[in-house]
Structure formats: structure tokens, C-alpha cells
Amino acid sequence: MKKYIINRIFSMILVLVVVSSLTFFLAKAIPGGPFTKEKKVPDVILQRLEEKYHFDDPLWKQYVSYMGNLLKGDLGPSFRYDALTVNDIIAKGFPVSATIGFLAVLLSIILGLPAGIISAYRQNFWQDNTVMFASLIGISVPSFILATAFMYFFGLKFKILPIAGWGGFRYMILPAITLAAYPTAYIARLTRSSMLDVLSQDYIKTARSKGLSEFKVITMHALKNAILPVVTYMGPMIAAIFTGSFIIERLFFIPGLGKYYVTAIYDRDYTVILGTTIFYAFFLVTANFIVDILYAFLDPRITYAEKK
């Protein structure tokens, strides 16, 4: 186990170096720059700005300098927000995105898991058909359509919730539900499929023959094995939701990380693009690492010890 963890940490560092390098060179390959926007900047001022931020240095030198600062945890300045560094932007935007993300993940698990279990247990009955129909809608309808529909009905027509903005729990409800729609539907379908397979296994028939209640058979025997595919899916899902959904944050005017990322692309703010991409990659590999470790606790058949 110890050796496995060390190897995984090494591979995580390698992945982050590859992601950082690729993002750096791709960002530099984009024509134009942060100072060549809609308003023409005089050549003298442009030259001084490039000297200040070392844009006139050879590309390899800029790369070495950036990676050196990255090792120190310094993601560089923002070219759009004078008073903020990329570290400041992440520190400011991530808690907002994570709050919405946490609510969305919570909703997905609370609704998706029971829906999948009921659907499998009542296969081909109305409960199964209802869950499958609802999950098909959740997967098929794009999030911006759902967001617009929620804003119209709950915000504009019935005036139950605020349409957009950021100012308390009521402002989080619609974005969280919108973000949770797809993962809830996916978890429900994944749980149903996995539960159907597990419920047909011999050890479930043995548990039933011992006179155990259906509740105990499902929760103590079936769910433990059926939940593994859901745990696998949750690693990248949590990373994606917690680091901010760009479309949802844009539609609901939420000051999260996604909003800064989209703005950075429009403004060619290289350092913000690089910093948020690396932060997302770090979050993703860490979430997958935790999921892999959880496997060993959820399923005793999975071991990371070396076979002798």
C-alpha cells in the first residue's frame, strides 16, 4: 500500500508537469496578447509592458521562469486585474464555486443513489419507468436550457427564488439544482445498472434464504458492491463541479472560478488561464487518487499490496 501511494504521488506530479507544460505552450501559441485588445496600445508602451512582464524573453526562458515560480506556489500576476494575482483570484473564486459544487454533489448523492436502487429493485414497474424517464431528461437536456427554464419559472413567473446574483442561501438553490441535474441522472442510471447485476448474484440469494429483510439485503450486502462504479464516477465529477461550471456561473452571475476563467480567455490573460487549468488538474488527480484509495476500504478483494 505504501509503495502504491508513493508511485501514485509521483505519477500525479508527472501529470501536473505535463498539463502545465502543454497549457503554457498552447497559451503562448495563441495569436495576440493581453495588451493587444480592442484599444490600440502605442508601440512604446507595449514594449515597456512586454519588458516588465518578460514577454520579450525567449520562450524557453519564460517557460523555465514560470515553472520555477510554480514550484514556489506563485502562479503569477493577472494582466486584467491590476490589484490581484492568480493566487488571489483562485482564493477568491474557489470558495464560491466549491459552495455551489458541494450542494450539487450532495443533491446528486441524496437523490441519485436511492432513485437507482428503487429503479433496480422495482425493475419494469412504474417506479423504474419513472426514474429512467427522469434520468433521461437529466442527461439529455443541456444545463443552460435547464438553467433558463428554472430562472423563468421559479424566478420570473412564480417569484419564489432570485433569478441571479450572489447574496445568500436562496441564491444558491437554482444554480445547485441545475448543476446537480446531470450527475443525479447519471448516478441513478449507474446505480440501477450495477444493482441489477449484484441482485442476481448467488450471495444475494443466500442472504435472502437466511430470512434477512429486503432492507438489510439491499443496504448491507448489495449496495456495498453496487456502489463501486458510482465511486469511480464521483472522482472526476467532484473535481469538475467544485472547480466551477463556466456556463452556470456565467448565467447566474456567480463570482466563482468559472467566471474568471471565461473572462481570462476573452482577455488573453495567460497567467489566469494557466493557473486555473493547473488548479483544476491538481484537484482532478487528487480526487481520483482518493477514490482509488477508497476502493480498498469498500471492497476487500481490491488490494494494492504486491503479490508474492
Side-chain angles (χ1 to χ4, degrees):
M1 185 68 156
K2 189 178 174 183
K3 189 176 179 183
Y4 172 78
I5 291 174
I6 292 171
N7 286 337
R8 281 301 306 271
I9 291 173
F10 178 75
S11 65
M12 285 165 62
I13 294 170
L14 195 62
V15 168
L16 289 175
V17 170
V18 171
V19 170
S20 310
S21 304
L22 277 176
T23 315
F24 178 86
F25 288 112
L26 285 173
K28 290 289 180 182
I30 299 172
F35 310 120
T36 55
K37 294 188 289 190
E38 64 282 350
K39 187 176 178 181
K40 177 70 177 170
V41 179
D43 291 341
V44 179
I45 295 176
L46 182 63
Q47 189 181 355
R48 285 177 182 170
L49 285 169
E50 287 183 342
E51 284 173 3
K52 180 183 176 184
Y53 292 107
H54 304 287
F55 280 4
D56 55 342
D57 286 347
L59 191 58
W60 67 267
K61 197 172 179 181
Q62 292 181 45
Y63 173 71
V64 171
S65 172
Y66 184 80
M67 295 304 278
N69 290 330
L70 186 62
L71 280 176
K72 299 174 196 168
D74 180 7
L75 296 170
S78 166
F79 298 118
R80 184 176 189 275
Y81 306 98
D82 294 335
L84 294 176
T85 64
V86 180
N87 296 60
D88 294 332
I89 288 173
I90 291 174
K92 192 177 175 184
F94 179 64
V96 176
S97 297
T99 304
I100 297 289
F102 174 76
L103 289 174
V105 170
L106 201 62
L107 272 175
S108 306
I109 295 170
I110 290 173
L111 297 177
L113 271 179
I117 294 169
I118 292 168
S119 181
Y121 189 70
R122 301 293 293 170
Q123 186 185 14
N124 298 328
F125 284 87
W126 68 266
Q127 295 94 333
D128 183 25
N129 295 332
T130 306
V131 170
M132 285 299 96
F133 179 71
S135 64
L136 187 63
I137 291 176
I139 285 178
S140 308
V141 180
S143 58
F144 64 90
I145 299 287
L146 273 182
T148 309
F150 288 154
M151 289 163 87
Y152 174 74
F153 286 108
F154 296 106
L156 200 62
K157 196 169 178 65
F158 302 118
K159 300 186 186 304
I160 300 172
L161 293 166
I163 295 175
W166 187 250
F169 182 72
R170 292 179 74 244
Y171 288 84
M172 303 177 192
I173 297 174
L174 289 184
I177 293 173
T178 310
L179 258 183
Y182 182 87
T184 302
Y186 198 82
I187 287 174
R189 295 178 77 87
L190 211 54
T191 307
R192 177 186 183 271
S193 170
S194 188
M195 281 295 286
L196 283 175
D197 180 50
V198 170
L199 287 174
S200 64
Q201 300 292 321
D202 289 339
Y203 71 92
I204 295 295
K205 293 172 187 171
T206 305
R208 281 174 171 153
S209 67
K210 288 179 180 176
L212 291 178
S213 66
E214 282 300 301
F215 181 77
K216 282 187 177 177
V217 171
I218 297 292
T219 55
M220 294 176 65
H221 294 276
L223 187 60
K224 193 174 178 182
N225 290 324
I227 205 171
L228 286 176
V230 179
V231 174
T232 306
Y233 168 65
M234 284 181 65
M237 179 195 80
I238 288 173
I241 289 181
F242 268 56
T243 44
S245 169
F246 308 148
I247 296 172
I248 302 300
E249 289 185 5
R250 194 78 175 172
L251 280 172
F252 286 100
F253 289 97
I254 298 170
L257 207 53
K259 177 198 139 189
Y260 287 106
Y261 189 78
V262 173
T263 310
I265 293 171
Y266 286 133
D267 294 331
R268 301 187 190 105
D269 198 346
Y270 297 137
T271 46
V272 175
I273 297 171
L274 278 163
T276 45
T277 304
I278 293 165
F279 182 73
Y280 173 76
F282 171 77
F283 212 84
L284 183 63
V285 294
T286 306
N288 280 324
F289 173 67
I290 293 170
V291 165
D292 287 346
I293 298 297
L294 277 177
Y295 280 152
F297 293 98
L298 290 171
D299 189 348
R301 294 171 299 177
I302 298 173
T303 175
Y304 297 119
E306 284 188 351
K307 291 182 180 177
K308 295 179 180 177

